[in-house]
């Protein structure tokens, strides 16, 4: 603009355009930089005004307008900078809150190799209610994966309630159905009429796998190159709606892997095409350690959706390496009472 003005002659016809300069800087720069750019633009405009043979009123008003635009642009940049700093702070707080709820898993829980992974759908300070846990109890290794309806602190609060209850009752209840009943009551006491938590609970006891499902995507069993969805014997509603679950029981083989995931994985898509989880699961998850498998799955998923996810995703991958030496015959938790009577 300065070059155009200089080529135009002694009359300052384009000085007013300099008012746009500080606003352009305010879009990307901090307020001190914007102030410096604005002062430079004001001085440049004043210089062109002074070289006019006779300074016009219009030129004088234009120079004043540049100065006013500088002040306004500095204010805009200051507000934008404070908002950016607050977003960074909230993102850190969200990460701390999420980590306080979701403890690191593995690498070994009982006889199982276990890894967990949380994939956030956004870089902003939004946190979801996806949850997971794996603990070694007197009734075998027990795992839960769940998804709270909604996002934000309310979702994290409910996720923490579910996990807190689970970490207690998983040690106390021999029957997984009793664990579900306790969790359902905990959710019902703390949610509104339209809130709920989908969940899948898994128990490994001496090579016997027991699964109960409360409206959650079924886990995938990876065995000798095959991928088997472990659908429940009968559907059940999520926690909060008094689910009546029927266990599914599978006999595990050494080397079997089980993938637990939330529905963000099933909903990940590009151009309307969903990520082919079942088709690619063995190739992505069947190599290296369980942590290596989850890393490969995340990389392939992010590449598939071009870095844009619609929902957070929680993943848990476990591998059965074989029963402990001297382990008694496996009895599913829902039959423990009958076996002991």
């Amino acid at each position: 603009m300065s070059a155009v003005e200089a080529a135009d002659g002694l009359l300052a016809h384009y000085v007013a355009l300099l008012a746009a300069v500080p606003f352009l800087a305010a879009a990307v720069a901090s307020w001190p930089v914007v102030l410096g750019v604005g002062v430079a633009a004001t001085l440049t405009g004043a210089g062109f005004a002074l070289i006019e043979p006779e300074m016009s009123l219009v030129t004088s008003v234009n120079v004043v307008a540049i100065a006013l635009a500088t002040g306004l642009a500095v204010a805009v940049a200051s507000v934008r900078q404070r908002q950016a700093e607050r977003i960074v702070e909230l993102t850190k707080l969200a990460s701390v809150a999420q980590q306080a709820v979701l403890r690191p898993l593995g690498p070994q829980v009982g006889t199982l190799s276990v890894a967990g992974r949380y994939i956030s759908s956004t870089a902003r300070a939004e946190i979801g209610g996806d949850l997971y846990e794996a603990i070694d109890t007197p009734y075998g290794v027990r795992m839960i994966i769940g998804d709270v309806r909604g996002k934000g602190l309310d979702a994290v609060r409910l996720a923490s309630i579910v996990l807190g209850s689970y970490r207690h009752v998983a040690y106390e209840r021999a029957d997984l159905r009793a664990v579900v009943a306790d969790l359902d009551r905990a959710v019902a006491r703390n949610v509104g009429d339209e809130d709920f938590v989908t969940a899948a609970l898994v128990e490994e006891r001496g090579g016997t796998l027991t699964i109960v499902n409360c409206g959650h995507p079924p886990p995938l069993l990876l065995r000798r190159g095959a991928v088997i969805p472990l659908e429940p014997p009968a559907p059940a509603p999520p926690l909060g709606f008094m689910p009546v679950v029927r266990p599914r029981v599978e006999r595990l083989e050494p080397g079997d892997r089980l993938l637990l995931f939330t529905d963000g994985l099933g909903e990940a898509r590009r151009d309307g095409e969903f990520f082919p989880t079942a088709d690619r699961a063995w190739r992505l998850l069947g190599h290296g350690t369980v942590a290596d498998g989850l890393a490969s799955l995340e990389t392939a998923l992010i590449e598939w959706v071009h870095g844009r996810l619609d929902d957070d995703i929680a993943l848990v991958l476990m591998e059965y390496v074989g029963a402990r030496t001297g382990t008694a015959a496996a009895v599913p938790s829902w039959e423990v009472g009958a076996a002991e009577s």
Side-chain angles (χ1 to χ4, degrees), residues 139 203 205-206 208 210 328-337 339:
Y139 309 104
E203 175 190 287
R205 182 180 174 88
T208 296
T210 305
V331 179
S333 67
W334 51 279
E335 291 185 353
V336 168

Side-chain angles (χ1 to χ4, degrees), residues 202-229:
V202 176
E203 175 190 287
E204 183 278 321
R205 182 180 174 88
T208 296
L209 188 71
T210 305
I211 304 169
V212 292
N213 196 313
C214 305
H216 199 77
L220 298 180
L221 176 64
L222 285 70
R223 173 178 292 167
R224 300 192 300 270
V227 179
I228 307 166

Side-chain angles (χ1 to χ4, degrees), residues 72-133:
L72 185 57
V74 168
V76 170
S78 178
V79 171
R80 182 190 58 78
Q81 187 174 352
R82 285 199 301 270
Q83 290 177 338
E85 291 171 352
R86 180 165 177 77
I87 289 174
V88 170
E89 181 180 357
L90 289 175
T91 301
K92 291 179 180 178
L93 290 174
S95 178
V96 171
Q98 199 90 54
Q99 292 172 11
V101 173
L102 299 179
R103 301 184 303 198
L105 296 186
Q108 194 77 19
V109 182
T111 60
L112 304 179
S113 298
V114 180
R117 207 171 188 91
Y118 191 96
I119 306 173
S120 178
S121 63
T122 175
R124 296 175 295 170
E126 292 185 7
I127 45 182
D130 292 19
L131 59 97
Y132 54 74
E133 181 61 289

Side-chain angles (χ1 to χ4, degrees), residues 229-278:
L230 299 182
E231 299 281 355
L239 299 173
F241 293 130
M242 296 184 291
V244 178
V245 295
R246 290 179 56 190
R248 172 164 181 164
V249 180
E250 297 284 336
R251 186 66 184 171
L252 291 174
E253 301 175 3
D256 282 353
R257 290 188 172 187
L258 186 73
L259 175 67
L260 311 175
F261 57 94
T262 54
D263 59 5
L265 178 61
E267 295 171 357
R269 58 187 179 273
R270 67 177 182 195
D271 302 327
E273 185 178 1
F274 291 97
F275 181 73
T277 303

Side-chain angles (χ1 to χ4, degrees), residues 136-268:
D136 193 6
T137 76
Y139 309 104
V141 177
R142 287 179 163 177
M143 295 178 285
I144 184 173
I145 191 161
D147 190 356
V148 176
R149 179 181 179 272
K151 283 186 175 291
L153 292 178
D154 286 341
V156 173
R157 179 186 63 84
L158 185 53
S160 68
I161 290 171
V162 173
L163 285 175
S165 299
Y166 177 75
R167 288 163 182 160
H168 172 70
V169 299
Y171 287 98
E172 302 296 328
R173 303 293 191 184
D175 191 330
L176 277 183
R177 292 172 295 187
V179 175
V180 168
D182 287 342
L183 295 180
D184 178 66
R185 286 191 291 270
V187 170
R189 287 192 297 266
N190 292 276
V191 300
D193 294 337
E194 297 182 357
D195 295 324
F196 57 84
V197 181
T198 67
L201 284 73
V202 176
E203 175 190 287
E204 183 278 321
R205 182 180 174 88
T208 296
L209 188 71
T210 305
I211 304 169
V212 292
N213 196 313
C214 305
H216 199 77
L220 298 180
L221 176 64
L222 285 70
R223 173 178 292 167
R224 300 192 300 270
V227 179
I228 307 166
L230 299 182
E231 299 281 355
L239 299 173
F241 293 130
M242 296 184 291
V244 178
V245 295
R246 290 179 56 190
R248 172 164 181 164
V249 180
E250 297 284 336
R251 186 66 184 171
L252 291 174
E253 301 175 3
D256 282 353
R257 290 188 172 187
L258 186 73
L259 175 67
L260 311 175
F261 57 94
T262 54
D263 59 5
L265 178 61
E267 295 171 357

